[in-house]
Amino acid sequence: MKRRTIEARPMTSSTGVSRVVYTPPVLSTAQKVRRARAWADREVVNRLVVSRTRTVGRHRALPLDAVAAAMMLHALGRPPAMTIAGVTRTLWSMSPSERFALGFPPGSVVRYRCVLSGFHALTEAMGAGFSVGHNHELTADEATGEVDDCPDGCPFTAASLDEVATGLVQASMPSAWTPPSVVAIDGTDIESAYRARAQSPAADAHDRRAADRDARWAKRTSTDRRPTELYFGYEAHIATYAPEPAGEPLPQLAAGLALRPGVRDRAGAALGILDALRGVNEVLLDRGYTTSRAVNLARPLRERGITMTMDLHSSQRGVRPGPITGSLWIDGALYSDALPDPLRHLEPPKIGESAAEKARARELFDKRDAYRFTPLTRRRDERGSQRWKGPALAGHLRCPNTPASMRLGRHLPTARCVRGGACACGKTVTVRDSELERDRQPLAWQSTRWALSFNRRSLIEGLNAQLRYQVRNVNRGYFRVPGLIATTLLLAITLAAHNVDRLHGWHLARHLPDPWQVELGEEPSTVPLDRHTWTRGRRRPFRE
């Protein structure tokens, strides 16, 4: 049968001033069932199921893979709360044929206790980290005591909680999806549904004994919805894919997840996500991560071959002596001391300024590039260092102490160095990896190139806004289970459902086939899309 082709839809109005926004139809029940079942058939879910499948004794009333698929189906419906009771009600509202397609045997009776038992089994499997046993006897070297490698076909797998959570999120990506190599990571608060309980009425808030034993007190900054305050719960570190600075747009998808009690171990959470994703060569981070000690974040990232584009805290900025005479560390980059004094202490653009004001501020930061050292050789891992060359040798600056640079065009700035004086413009220097390693990054901070790269981090801010307010309501009361592992499981399924829903809407709104539709062999959607126009207006002046 010949497939019906999708006609191209206009993305702008006839005048070109307004943008046409299409609202695709929601997934039908049959489409949700097929996608939930396809997610439950992925390898990461199968390993969780296998690790808790009983081989002796009474069988479970409901298969674990069907319970996992039911939880995914419930999340696809954008429920007001992700609870086990809600999953049970979703199953009760389905027909027997739909439950059979989801993986439930014919004639099975769905009860809340059976669904809760399956949820507890999956939670235990996540906490154990894929504790799939060996199918052979373990042997070890008598001299060293090291355990020998497993033979081919051994199902044993060891994985951390971050790897399992990220794997559940990645299971929502179709097989044909090619993930980019750049991710942005940010944290958002997940408030526990359980309040802290005090042993005595006079106990301080920080000394209270919590009903949720894994949750911790933490501080969250103010927004337009709430003031700066303390909350009791967790911090979810979520990663999303980012395109190249001038690349094609991408749907805002969750790429990985790491949950931590309170506000702690941010560097470890970021590394846990990156280790689980693999294939990432650049990460975008804000100051909440980059203020970590170098041994906790910057050094592990360098050892993994991952570059970091980051914002600098006030403690990371300023002027410091360089490795050789005539050089300076300024805002995490190495410059010649020929840099004019007005360019040494610059203030970054402020939030709320117009694009023109920010562009004028970054023009001053761009003027620093002519005085910056550039790499001369590749980094040498065995020595833990890299050779850098001065701006005059790189052909970016004219310096009297480097005669060849004076023959360059007068469009380049001329250094104020005195002939024969101590000058580093034409020198090379070996910089150790451990020198100011926490604050260094490939692009100069606040330069135009840095801004184009770092601004991609707004994608993770938009994803958190969709999860918290715009599309879903992942706030206090959305998860009503205690414990770090149980909350991680429900949040991972919520992110996976958001990815499936987002892939469907993003592609149909751009008159492109849904990747899951192609993988599952579904017919292209013929339902007309609702549309409206959006026009960027001028900012009105503030009136008191």
Side-chain angles (χ1 to χ4, degrees):
M1 183 177 63
K2 184 178 180 180
R3 291 183 177 272
R4 183 176 300 178
T5 58
I6 302 178
E7 298 180 357
R9 305 182 183 94
M11 303 303 294
T12 58
S13 61
S14 58
T15 60
V17 177
S18 303
R19 180 165 58 93
V20 179
V21 180
Y22 294 93
T23 304
V26 297
L27 292 169
S28 64
T29 303
Q31 290 175 323
K32 294 177 183 178
V33 170
R34 284 191 291 266
R35 284 157 176 76
R37 187 62 244 182
W39 176 83
D41 290 335
R42 291 302 180 95
E43 182 180 2
V44 60
V45 183
N46 288 333
R47 288 182 176 180
L48 289 177
V49 172
V50 170
S51 63
R52 284 298 178 268
T53 300
R54 299 173 180 175
T55 57
V56 295
R58 187 177 63 179
H59 295 285
R60 289 189 174 275
L62 302 177
L64 280 182
D65 60 334
V67 173
M71 295 170 63
M72 180 65 171
L73 176 67
H74 179 67
L76 286 173
R78 300 183 184 181
M82 188 66 182
T83 61
I84 304 304
V87 176
T88 307
R89 287 192 294 268
T90 299
L91 291 175
W92 288 343
S93 64
M94 300 173 62
S95 64
S97 60
E98 292 173 342
R99 286 199 293 266
F100 177 75
L102 205 59
F104 291 91
S108 58
V109 180
V110 177
R111 295 187 177 91
Y112 170 79
R113 294 186 60 181
C114 299
V115 179
L116 181 64
S117 176
F119 169 74
H120 286 164
L122 294 174
T123 303
E124 294 174 1
M126 285 194 66
F130 286 168
S131 58
V132 180
H134 300 271
N135 60 357
H136 61 91
E137 295 292 335
L138 297 180
T139 59
D141 191 325
E142 297 181 357
T144 61
E146 296 180 353
V147 179
D148 297 333
D149 295 336
C150 297
D152 296 337
C154 178
F156 174 77
T157 308
S160 64
L161 180 61
D162 297 340
E163 291 177 323
V164 178
T166 301
L168 293 176
V169 176
Q170 286 289 313
S172 62
M173 309 289 185
S175 303
W177 170 263
T178 303
S181 59
V182 183
V183 297
I185 302 178
D186 193 21
T188 183
D189 55 280
I190 303 295
E191 191 171 358
S192 176
Y194 299 84
R195 293 191 177 276
R197 295 177 179 176
Q199 296 179 350
S200 63
D204 187 74
H206 296 278
D207 299 330
R208 292 177 180 178
R209 186 176 181 180
D212 189 347
R213 298 299 181 89
D214 295 336
R216 294 294 182 271
W217 285 99
K219 180 181 179 181
R220 54 189 175 193
T221 56
S222 62
T223 64
D224 56 350
R225 296 173 180 266
R226 63 169 186 268
T228 299
E229 60 184 0
L230 295 177
Y231 75 95
F232 183 72
Y234 308 90
E235 185 177 25
H237 302 270
I238 304 174
T240 187
Y241 291 113
E244 296 299 326
E248 296 294 329
L250 295 174
Q252 291 175 311
L253 304 178
L257 169 66
L259 197 67
R260 293 292 185 272
V263 183
R264 58 182 64 187
D265 192 28
R266 286 176 169 172
L271 293 176
I273 294 175
L274 295 175
D275 290 340
L277 288 177
R278 298 182 179 88
V280 176
N281 56 29
E282 184 182 0
V283 60
L284 310 175
L285 299 173
D286 65 356
R287 292 170 291 184
Y289 298 89
T290 58
T291 51
S292 303
R293 298 177 58 186
V295 295
N296 296 332
L297 182 63
R299 190 175 303 173
L301 288 177
R302 185 182 65 248
E303 293 172 352
R304 289 165 171 80
I306 301 176
T307 60
M308 178 169 48
T309 302
M310 59 180 176
D311 194 9
L312 296 182
H313 189 263
S314 57
S315 62
Q316 299 174 278
R317 307 199 296 261
V319 181
R320 299 175 177 85
I324 60 174
T325 303
S327 63
L328 296 172
W329 288 108
I330 302 178
D331 297 341
L334 186 60
Y335 295 90
S336 168
D337 64 353
L339 181 69
D341 293 337
L343 297 180
R344 297 189 179 188
H345 302 277
L346 298 177
E347 290 296 326
K350 298 180 181 179
I351 299 177
E353 292 182 346
S354 63
E357 292 173 337
K358 292 181 179 180
R360 284 194 297 267
R362 291 197 170 99
E363 287 179 358
L364 297 177
F365 285 92
D366 290 340
K367 292 181 179 180
R368 288 178 172 180
D369 285 344
Y371 301 86
R372 190 162 66 98
F373 279 71
T374 56
L376 176 62
T377 60
R378 297 178 60 184
R379 177 181 169 272
R380 292 174 288 188
D381 297 336
E382 66 279 2
R383 297 185 180 182
S385 62
Q386 186 178 10
R387 295 283 294 172
W388 294 73
K389 58 183 177 182
L393 288 180
H396 301 158
L397 181 70
R398 302 171 73 240
C399 179
N401 293 316
T402 307
S405 66
M406 298 300 294
R407 294 190 291 269
L408 299 174
R410 292 188 176 273
H411 63 283
L412 297 177
T414 302
R416 59 181 180 177
C417 303
V418 179
R419 185 181 297 275
C423 171
C425 298
K427 294 182 180 179
T428 60
V429 57
T430 300
V431 181
R432 298 187 304 272
D433 293 338
S434 59
E435 190 166 357
L436 210 70
E437 59 181 335
R438 184 189 69 162
D439 309 332
R440 291 159 57 182
Q441 54 183 323
L443 301 177
W445 178 69
Q446 289 298 335
S447 63
T448 301
R449 292 180 58 196
W450 175 90
L452 292 175
S453 179
F454 184 76
N455 286 347
R456 296 175 293 171
R457 209 191 68 84
S458 61
L459 291 173
I460 186 60
E461 301 284 357
L463 176 61
N464 289 336
Q466 292 176 9
L467 295 172
R468 299 290 299 274
Y469 307 111
Q470 297 175 359
V471 179
R472 300 178 185 273
N473 187 25
V474 184
N475 295 289
R476 186 174 186 272
Y478 189 81
F479 304 121
R480 302 174 187 176
V481 292
L484 174 68
I485 301 174
T487 306
T488 301
L489 175 58
L490 293 181
L491 181 56
I493 296 177
T494 301
L495 295 179
H498 178 80
N499 287 347
V500 173
D501 196 20
R502 185 62 179 166
L503 284 170
H504 172 77
W506 191 87
H507 285 85
L508 290 189
R510 288 160 178 79
H511 50 81
L512 297 173
D514 180 5
W516 274 112
Q517 178 189 86
V518 176
E519 182 164 326
L520 298 176
E522 298 176 347
E523 290 292 329
S525 177
T526 58
V527 179
L529 305 183
D530 294 336
R531 53 172 286 176
H532 65 276
T533 57
W534 180 85
T535 306
R536 181 182 296 275
R538 294 183 178 180
R539 181 180 298 179
R540 296 182 178 180
F542 176 75
R543 296 181 180 178
E544 296 183 356

